[in-house]
Amino acid sequence: MQNWLEEKKAIVIGERDGIQGPSIAKCLEAAGVTIVYAVTECFV
Amino acid sequence: MDADNQANIKKIAEEDRDALNKIIVVLGAGDIEGAEISAETVTVGDPSFAGPLAGVSLRLPVYHILEPELKDVIPEDIYEENLGIWTMTLDINEIGKRFRAIREKSSNA
């Protein structure tokens, strides 16, 4: 399958009670994405 | 989405116009409804009209990390290690359906 993510640049918005930024970033980087901004939001 | 993150996203979108066609937003919200609100914020603008993206239509392509389109191209071992448990908690097909609709709506806006 063609990797459509390769060469993309990603803004990552994770969630403390969901999927956190670093986990998302790790997955995307493994697919060839460059992370330009990554954060984990926390809602209280 | 909090105001600081909205401001940073707006700045990235405005400063790097050359890369704009390569930029995607990827969300990791633990509930679909919350994810939809964040998605709306980076496409047609902050629906609460409280942050810097109020009334600002960036129309950035937005995805949820659990969408099948992303799963298909992320190495399986990395995916399982970081996201595996979430596939048992959330309906990834429903997430995919809702986010495709958001992207389609944004591109037609």
Side-chain angles (χ1 to χ4, degrees):
Chain A
M1 168 163 296
Q2 188 175 13
N3 183 356
W4 63 273
L5 277 178
E6 210 161 16
E7 297 190 2
K8 292 288 186 191
K9 296 186 176 185
I11 294 169
V12 171
I13 310 292
E15 193 176 90
R16 187 196 69 175
D17 295 331
I19 304 157
Q20 300 192 8
S23 293
I24 299 171
K26 202 179 280 188
C27 290
L28 295 176
E29 284 173 326
V33 175
T34 300
I35 306 299
V36 296
Y37 182 72
V39 68
T40 298
E41 291 200 312
C42 170
F43 299 106
V44 291
Chain B
M1 187 180 298
D2 77 24
D4 285 343
N5 289 330
Q6 288 190 36
N8 287 326
I9 291 169
K10 188 177 181 213
K11 189 177 173 191
I12 290 166
E14 289 173 346
E15 280 184 354
D16 200 350
R17 295 223 164 258
D18 289 338
L20 202 56
N21 63 344
K22 291 187 180 180
I23 292 178
I24 61 173
V25 179
V26 183
L27 308 177
D31 70 286
I32 295 178
E33 288 70 30
E36 285 183 308
I37 292 171
S38 293
E40 189 173 342
T41 301
V42 299
T43 51
V44 297
D46 180 1
S48 73
F49 289 94
L53 288 178
V56 177
S57 186
L58 293 179
R59 290 163 57 176
L60 292 171
V62 60
Y63 296 84
H64 193 286
I65 188 64
L66 292 177
E67 284 192 60
E69 284 95 323
L70 275 73
K71 183 180 182 186
D72 288 343
V73 292
I74 294 170
E76 194 176 337
D77 57 337
I78 304 290
Y79 189 93
E80 280 306 310
E81 182 186 327
N82 290 279
L83 306 174
I85 195 159
W86 286 98
T87 63
M88 294 185 269
T89 308
L90 296 173
D91 183 343
I92 65 172
N93 291 318
E94 181 65 21
I95 289 174
K97 184 177 147 192
R98 295 218 197 168
F99 271 71
R100 274 193 299 277
I102 289 168
R103 288 191 293 276
E104 196 171 307
K105 183 180 165 188
S106 172
S107 67
N108 291 333

